[in-house]
Amino acid sequence: MWSGQDKVWLHYVKDIIAADVYSAVFLASYLRYMGLNKSHVSFLEVIDLQKYKVIKQKHKVRAAIKERANVPFVFVVCRN
């Protein structure tokens, strides 16, 4: 993919790893945007083994993350 090019991955603030400063700034701004708009919730689902449920609806996922994320056997997973 990058044959003939020497890329050095650098570790930036907030656990961002990128090959150059511009990519790191773009990723940081995108993550901030997603965090402010809570758009990432539509790509998540919550698996609750205590209640034997898989929660997929956006508003229920947001509520489950807020209320039950620290409970044992409740997992937040990505749909991808």
Side-chain angles (χ1 to χ4, degrees), residues 11-74:
H11 189 257
Y12 294 94
V13 183
K14 295 186 181 181
D15 293 330
I16 294 175
I17 298 174
D20 58 355
V21 175
Y22 301 110
S23 298
V25 169
F26 173 75
L27 184 57
S29 64
Y30 182 72
L31 289 173
R32 184 174 182 275
Y33 168 77
M34 293 297 283
L36 290 175
N37 292 333
K38 307 276 191 255
S39 301
H40 64 283
V41 176
S42 60
F43 300 109
L44 299 175
E45 61 187 15
V46 175
I47 299 173
D48 191 347
L49 294 180
Q50 290 184 346
K51 295 183 178 181
Y52 300 106
K53 284 180 145 181
V54 176
I55 303 168
K56 295 182 180 182
Q57 293 85 14
K58 185 176 176 180
H59 64 283
K60 289 183 180 181
V61 168
R62 185 176 290 137
I65 290 172
K66 189 175 182 181
E67 297 169 2
R68 299 189 51 83
N70 296 327
V71 177
F73 301 108
V74 175

Side-chain angles (χ1 to χ4, degrees), residues 1-9 19-20:
M1 185 164 103
W2 289 324
S3 62
Q5 298 179 11
D6 293 327
K7 295 287 184 179
V8 177
W9 294 91
D20 58 355

